[in-house]
Every structure is written in structure tokens, then in C-alpha cells.
Amino acid sequence: MRLQKFLARAGVASRRKCETLITAGRVRVNGRVVTRLGTRVDPETERVEVDHRRVALKAARWLALHKPPGYACTRRDPSGRPTIYDLVPADAHHLPHLGRLDFMSEGLILLSNEGDLANRLLHPSAELDRTYVVELIEPVAADLPARLREGVALSDGPARARRARWVGGPGTRRPAVEIVLAEGRNREIRRMLARLEVTIRRLRRTSFGPIELGALAAGHSRDLTRAERAALERAACSRLARE
């Protein structure tokens, strides 16, 4: 296993931060300072230390969290706002989150220490579906789903819904549209709908690839099942097969 991957899996820091620790000479393998990125270590037989403290490999873990509105997707918020790490169990605080939802959005967030798989899933070429249900404030044009599928010009390039359909049409008490995106650009849905002069009442992510939010209550989390973890691996492999 590459040293930086080992450190990230051990919960030391993000992969990038671990690379910085290595090049700064703060990591030892079997008592010797290692500064070369990509150095391979055997977690079973070799002793790895950071700043003279031994680190051990943590088991791979995947967590699904139902993020409520009013929580930031970060470990520490400069403004002191609540974060998603206030919601997960203490033994999961070392898990990085995959992507993010903005402060007032809600729904499914995945956390994991399996950095390689997480990076493959987040890569734009993976084209992993993310499904959202967006409640809107009238007036709303009946052709909104079609306009989202056709594409909207944004400052960082055109954005297009892979799929979009009404789940509570215009004229209902709470009109809502289901939107499926294949990328995770910053505040993409909010910017698309703002461009179309549509006001959002509530934005909730209901799935990330093959993982569904389901009945998981707001503010609660659960470990993924083996079948769900395998489904994520298949989703990542399907991208590699297309390349």
C-alpha cells in the first residue's frame, strides 16, 4: 500500500495533507524518515510513525448521513456554525465526506476512509447520478423539467440535468421537481434554478449513485451494508470500463 494512502486510511489526515507530512520529513517507516511519495509499506509488518507517534490502519468504513439544513459540510467552520461532524458518532469523526451539500440543503452525504474508491466515484468522468427533490415556490412554468434537461448557461459553463420530472406539478400545494445530475458542481441546482428565475423552498438529495437516503431520519447516520459497498465498487468499475 502506498504510504500516503496508508496514512489517510489510518485517519491521520486527507491524502493531500498526508503527502505534505511525508515531504516535510515527519513520517518514519521502521524508524527511518521517508520523504518519497509513493513509497510502499506493508501494514502488517512495518511500523509507521508520524511525529514519533505510531499510527495503525483503520478498517474501511462507509457511513450514510441524512444532513439537515443548517449544517456545514466541513470539519470546522470559521464562523462557528454547526457541522456534519456534530451529527456522526465520535468513532466516525476521522472519515472524510464525499462531496458536499450547501449549508441550507439537506439529504444524503456519504463519508468514508476508502480514499481511492471515493476519488473514483467523485471524478467527473464517473458520471455518477445524484438525485435531488426540489420543492419550489409558485409561480413555476410547466416546462421547467424540459428546460433543465435542455441545459442552462452558468458562469462556469453550461449545466444540464440528466433527467428531470415533476413529482408535484405546477398548481399543486407544494410543487416539486426531481432532478438527476451526473456531476457535483458547487451549488449547481440553486444556480440553475436562479438562472431560470425559480425560487427554491427546499432542496434535498435523495440518492448518491446506488445509495438511497430512504427512511433515514434527519440528523441520523448508518453504516453502509456490504451490498451497498459492493454496489459503489461496481459503479466505479463501470466508469473504468467505459474509458
Side-chain angles (χ1 to χ4, degrees):
M1 181 183 296
R2 292 190 304 276
L3 182 56
Q4 55 264 46
K5 178 180 178 179
F6 171 89
L7 295 174
R9 278 280 303 276
V12 172
S14 68
R15 180 75 64 86
R16 183 170 296 179
K17 176 63 175 177
C18 289
E19 291 175 350
T20 301
L21 293 173
I22 294 168
T23 56
R26 296 170 59 184
V27 180
R28 293 173 181 264
V29 178
N30 295 332
R32 300 182 62 181
V33 174
V34 174
T35 58
R36 184 171 62 86
L37 298 179
T39 298
R40 302 191 72 83
V41 296
D42 184 344
E44 298 294 328
T45 63
E46 297 186 286
R47 180 185 180 93
V48 179
E49 298 170 290
V50 176
D51 295 335
H52 302 286
R53 297 180 62 180
R54 187 171 186 177
V55 295
L57 194 65
K58 296 180 183 294
R61 188 175 182 187
W62 286 82
L63 202 71
L65 169 69
H66 185 163
K67 173 194 173 305
Y71 285 81
C73 287
T74 183
R75 290 189 183 278
R76 297 177 184 85
D77 184 73
S79 302
R81 299 177 300 177
T83 80
I84 58 173
Y85 291 94
D86 297 323
L87 301 171
V88 300
D91 64 355
H93 283 184
H94 67 285
L95 298 177
H97 54 87
L98 279 69
R100 62 184 64 241
L101 290 170
D102 66 64
F103 189 67
M104 290 310 298
S105 295
E106 56 191 287
L108 181 63
I109 286 280
L110 297 182
L111 301 93
S112 177
N113 59 357
E114 271 200 288
D116 281 352
L117 177 54
N119 289 336
R120 282 187 282 149
L121 293 167
L122 290 172
H123 195 279
S125 64
E127 298 183 350
L128 197 71
D129 283 355
R130 296 138 166 101
T131 304
Y132 304 81
V133 173
V134 189
E135 295 183 9
L136 309 169
I137 296 177
E138 293 278 22
V140 184
D143 66 346
L144 177 63
R147 295 178 70 185
L148 291 169
R149 293 191 300 268
E150 290 167 2
V152 180
L154 300 179
S155 59
D156 54 351
R160 181 178 294 104
R162 172 168 283 182
R163 295 185 295 279
R165 66 184 182 95
W166 288 113
V167 291
T172 60
R173 188 172 64 88
R174 295 179 78 92
V177 62
E178 182 184 82
I179 302 172
V180 179
L181 300 179
E183 57 182 347
R185 289 157 61 179
N186 184 43
R187 296 174 61 85
E188 187 172 5
I189 288 178
R190 291 190 183 276
R191 292 189 292 138
M192 291 172 71
L193 291 175
R195 183 76 174 175
L196 297 175
E197 300 183 338
V198 176
T199 303
I200 294 174
R201 184 193 306 273
R202 182 187 185 197
L203 193 160
R204 180 166 55 102
R205 181 157 65 195
T206 58
S207 72
F208 182 92
I211 310 304
E212 302 283 342
L213 179 64
L216 185 63
H220 289 249
S221 61
R222 66 173 180 84
D223 285 283
L224 296 193
T225 65
R226 289 184 179 180
E228 288 174 319
R229 164 60 180 77
L232 288 172
E233 183 67 49
R234 288 194 298 272
C237 289
S238 67
R239 188 265 293 183
L240 292 175
R242 294 194 301 268
E243 293 181 345

